[in-house]
Amino acid sequence: MERGTDKQSSVLASLDWWTIGIYLALLIFGWVSVCGASYTYGDTEIFSLGARSGMQIVWIGTSICLGFILLMLDDRFYDTFAYVIYAIFLLLLFATIFNPHEIKGSRSWLVLGPLRLQPAEFAKFATGLAIAKLMSTYGFNIHRWKHFAAACGVVMLPMLFIVAQKETGSALVYLAFFLMFYREGMPGSILFTGVAMIIYFVTGIKYEQVLLWDTPTSIGKFIVLLLVQIFSTAMVYVYCDDKKRALRLAALSIGITLIFLLFSEYVIPFDIMWVQLSIAVALIIYFIYQGISSRLTSYFYIALFTISSIAFFYSADYVLNEVMEPHQRVRINVLLGLEEDLTGAGYNVHQSEIAIGSGGLKGKGFLNGTQTKLKFVPEQDTDFIFCTVGEEEGFIGSATVLLLFLALILRLIKLAERQPFTFGRVYGYCVLSIFLFHVFINVGMVLGLTPVIGIPLPFFSYGGSSLWGFTLLLFIFLRIDASRGMIRR
């Protein structure tokens, strides 16, 4: 294979400088935020290596150098050695499980003298490369279950190792790869099933102890089982293209439920849940029968969805109370409003909300934040750094940061869509999905909208591992994109 003679100039000319500009702007905003979050009144050594703001300059400088090195490598290097890189980081993740150094209850850090590295942050780009390599293989078809299962295995394996390190938050980030799977043709029903499970969990747990009218029926269970009926019958319309049958099934199942609800309210009080379960079982039997008689596999999938929905709902309570760690359980209860622990699990979120709210429209100004300077917000220069943006820069500064992230996301979509090869497109959407997940969850948890799972805000949170990890993700893709127009023969 031959390439153009002036490769370096071609790469520089083909680079997406808009994305690099956004990257540099985020780094600057990030350093200002770290400086504000770590600053102590009277401190004049913000550039000292003994200060976190000074060390962040080192991480930023090394990240820029790392990005330059990545751009100078041949883009085929990432394709050729994708599996090798993935295997190396799997070994690192596995070795970290047995790491004797435990930091904040997690064994996810490798301590090498004064240097601490978190392999989970680097494994993201390695996993993205491995998936891109697999999905660009000749004959790969995501609609074939064996191929899809293999791709899921590439994602799940590092997740299991990270969970074993007691780092659940970092493991959940890998679920972002399913957004890429959806772009590449994964059935929408799988994504819908994931959303439905979240709805079941939140609704069922939040309203489990609330009774419906004067009946002994739990509102949480009633709503979830009613949603199972609605979702299952709606899927008949969507995936079996049978509107009349779907409407008849929905009307029949909901009608029977309402009749027994009125009977329980005005005649003999009883738990309507048993009627709803009976309806669900009847629907499952009907779907299986229709699948056999019409030979439409969609009916079998709908039956499987109904069974899975009921099984998930009844196992959610067990997982919450028996499987999850106490601190994780308390965080979920606080998020759902079941507990108000302003001095414990809800303290971080409560203080960050105060900090953001106190910033107002224009903020208190650089290094003038009171909540952050007085250290009211724990982890304010790492996981909760966005509250510093809100307090010191106000609504205008927060909106500017979010618009920069939006510009980065939109730019990554454009870059991914213009890739001429599957490898580049898939990896681009891997990068996009991870950034989107991090920004959405991190900002959401600071505002009290999502659970506190302890993941960094890209280019803002203090630390070298996350900054290097995000730089690796982005600049490998920029290097692949820069070679999109090169002729190979």
Side-chain angles (χ1 to χ4, degrees), residues 134-135 140-155 177-178 180-182 185-187 190-191:
L134 175 65
M135 296 183 68
F140 181 91
N141 188 342
I142 199 170
H143 296 288
R144 295 179 182 173
W145 281 105
K146 288 184 179 180
H147 293 179
F148 181 58
C152 289
V154 173
V155 175
F177 287 111
F178 282 85
M180 177 276 297
F181 287 149
Y182 179 68
M186 181 185 74
I190 296 178
L191 196 62

Side-chain angles (χ1 to χ4, degrees), residues 408-409 412 431-439 458-459 470 474:
L408 177 64
I409 296 298
L412 288 175
V431 175
L432 160 68
S433 300
I434 291 172
F435 276 113
L436 185 63
F437 188 93
H438 269 273
V439 173
F459 311 123
F470 290 124
L474 182 61

Side-chain angles (χ1 to χ4, degrees), residues 367-434:
L367 303 182
N368 290 324
T370 53
Q371 291 293 114
T372 50
K373 300 304 160 295
L374 297 175
K375 313 302 180 186
F376 280 109
V377 186
E379 311 297 338
Q380 61 186 20
D381 57 359
T382 53
D383 298 341
F384 282 81
I385 195 166
F386 190 73
C387 72
T388 304
V389 179
E391 184 179 32
E392 295 192 347
E393 310 302 329
F395 175 80
I396 295 176
S398 300
T400 302
V401 169
L402 293 178
L403 286 174
L404 277 173
F405 278 117
L406 177 61
L408 177 64
I409 296 298
L410 294 177
R411 197 67 195 171
L412 288 175
I413 293 175
K414 180 175 181 179
L415 267 58
E417 286 295 332
R418 73 184 185 185
Q419 297 307 304
F421 303 107
T422 302
F423 180 84
R425 186 182 69 247
V426 170
Y427 181 74
Y429 272 99
C430 288
V431 175
L432 160 68
S433 300
I434 291 172

